[in-house]
Amino acid sequence: MKTEIRSGGDWHEAAKRYIEEGEVVAFHTETVYGLGANAFDDGAVLKIFSLKGRPADNPLIVHVHKSYDISRLIDGEPSYAAALRKAYLPGPLTMVYPSIGKVSKYVSCGLNTLAIRVPSSPCAQEFLREVNLPIAAPSANLSKHVSPVTAQHVYDDFAGKIPLIIDGGACQGGIESTVLDCTGDVPKILREGLVTREMIAKVAGSCELYRAKAGEKPKSPGMAYQHYSPRCRTAYFSSPEKARECYFEEQKQGGSPYLLCENALLPAFSGLKVYDLGKTGEEMARNLYALLRRAEREATLLVAVEPKEHGGVMAGVLNRLHRAFGVIV
Ligand code: TXA
Ligand code: MG
């Protein structure tokens, strides 16, 4: 199969046709690229799992246009959820509701809930308006690989396997949406992201952070898996001195090490090969995945230093960094 990357206004008709035929189409969102299929079509949804090599117990998010009436898919919502939708949607917030089972049973993998997202990227909104269907979509990367933030990243993982990638440019958010459980009295964050705990608490009155207890199957099954890993060796340090030693050791062995650190640490590594994560949480979110993918091409060993800043969006950035580098916290 030939995989086309299309941008501008040149993809609408083809995207609609492919989705109606049960094909899978990749599309831009404000967080990362998605791998989308008609959420009502069992065969199309199963195709997503096999293309990604995704475990069969890791449910998908359903993406809808901003004018879509979500009461067609869910069994009611608490008042805090309605307030959150009003405050933050369209945007990088996925909300988990009790499902009424209208979409393919493969979307939620046997859970009685449904995750719904209204992306804000104009490209995603145009796509959802054109197809006029709820679209089940995970991030458009092979399972365990780094999420894609450009059309080229999607191409690198799925060339020859999907017919169309809708190119909306680089994703400005850079890490996946916040996943929020809205089935209880208080909203619970299942996956941290660009809509922060503070932002949710401000509107909902309070917000908990869900952590699976030892031995318990997590509520958001995806969080149980290793994730976002670059295909080069990695090392992670809280101390710049230790990172420096590790870098020189790799160099001594004949390898090509790169450092990954926040902007404030650059002077500590002058003269070395360094990727600059950025200054703020938002910048670090935007840069992280592109740098992990770049390291796969350029580095034998990627040596990261833990950023100092931890508040707000950094909670999501640190979660992805720790998962990419296999850091247990
Ligand atoms: O920003 C994003 O959310 C991107 C773009 C494409 O929209 N999508 C994305 O999808 O990151 P994915 O499949 O890579 O991650 C979805 C996460 C997984 O951790 C999954 O377990 C969780 O959402 N999830 C999906 N449905 C759920 C449900 N019903 N209950 C709990 N967690 C759910
Ligand atoms: Mg993913």
Side-chain angles (χ1 to χ4, degrees):
M1 175 185 294
K2 183 170 169 350
T3 301
E4 283 191 284
I5 301 181
R6 292 207 199 172
S7 57
D10 185 33
W11 47 265
H12 292 77
E13 206 184 302
K16 187 175 171 64
R17 179 165 38 84
Y18 287 131
I19 291 295
E20 284 172 354
E21 286 170 355
E23 273 302 339
V24 171
V25 168
F27 62 102
H28 175 273
T29 84
E30 72 279 17
T31 57
V32 302
Y33 276 76
L35 196 61
N38 176 358
F40 294 124
D41 181 337
D42 285 349
V45 172
L46 284 174
K47 216 178 258 180
I48 292 177
F49 283 86
S50 76
L51 280 166
K52 276 185 67 100
R54 185 179 178 97
D57 65 351
N58 191 7
L60 305 178
I61 296 171
V62 165
H63 297 66
V64 296
H65 186 259
K66 61 186 175 197
S67 68
Y68 193 86
D69 174 9
I70 62 166
S71 70
R72 291 161 70 182
L73 303 176
I74 62 166
D75 188 10
E77 69 176 338
S79 55
Y80 69 75
L84 287 168
R85 280 200 291 123
K86 198 158 168 235
Y88 298 123
L89 298 192
L93 175 65
T94 295
M95 302 172 72
V96 175
Y97 294 105
S99 174
I100 52 172
K102 277 274 155 60
V103 296
S104 163
K105 61 179 185 289
Y106 299 111
V107 169
S108 289
C109 306
L111 298 175
N112 56 10
T113 54
L114 182 66
I116 297 188
R117 163 153 149 71
V118 186
S120 62
S121 133
C123 186
Q125 282 293 318
E126 269 181 52
F127 169 59
L128 293 164
R129 193 186 54 211
E130 184 71 37
V131 299
N132 196 23
L133 284 166
I135 293 291
S139 49
N141 51 284
L142 291 169
S143 195
K144 298 200 175 99
H145 195 206
V146 180
S147 295
V149 291
T150 65
Q152 183 63 44
H153 293 158
V154 181
Y155 190 85
D156 292 343
D157 279 10
F158 294 108
K161 308 249 168 60
I162 57 173
L164 177 64
I165 300 168
I166 302 173
D167 185 356
C171 302
Q172 291 304 299
I175 58 171
E176 300 82 352
S177 63
T178 306
V179 178
L180 190 68
D181 180 2
C182 298
T183 62
D185 295 340
V186 176
K188 273 196 204 79
I189 293 181
L190 304 179
R191 178 176 73 183
E192 290 156 308
L194 296 168
V195 175
T196 62
R197 186 173 178 179
E198 296 81 359
M199 288 165 71
I200 293 166
K202 202 169 134 202
V203 172
S206 62
C207 176
E208 290 174 7
L209 181 60
Y210 174 80
R211 291 259 186 260
K213 298 184 187 76
E216 183 191 7
K217 190 172 169 154
K219 268 194 158 202
S220 192
M223 298 311 275
Y225 298 110
Q226 187 209 344
H227 253 101
Y228 322 118
S229 308
R231 293 180 181 138
C232 57
R233 284 162 36 249
T234 56
Y236 196 86
F237 296 96
S238 47
S239 121
E241 293 70 34
K242 289 261 163 31
R244 215 183 150 79
E245 278 169 31
C246 178
Y247 177 99
F248 284 122
E249 183 55 34
E250 176 73 1
Q251 218 171 35
K252 216 165 82 191
Q253 305 290 327
S256 172
Y258 273 76
L259 288 150
L260 176 70
C261 67
E262 64 187 320
N263 182 275
L265 272 181
L266 292 187
F269 299 126
S270 85
L272 309 188
K273 289 189 279 188
V274 188
Y275 297 130
D276 177 7
L277 253 182
K279 289 195 178 115
T280 61
E282 284 76 9
E283 269 179 37
M284 292 193 236
R286 191 175 310 135
N287 293 333
L288 177 63
Y289 289 153
L291 291 175
L292 294 182
R293 290 229 179 198
R294 201 173 139 193
E296 296 183 332
R297 299 191 303 270
E298 299 176 339
T300 53
L301 175 70
L302 182 63
V303 185
V305 187
E306 168 113 350
K308 293 233 157 35
E309 159 121 32
H310 280 200
V313 170
M314 279 312 287
V317 174
L318 288 168
N319 167 278
R320 306 313 191 274
L321 255 179
H322 291 159
R323 285 168 161 271
F325 285 81
V327 178
I328 313 225
V329 283

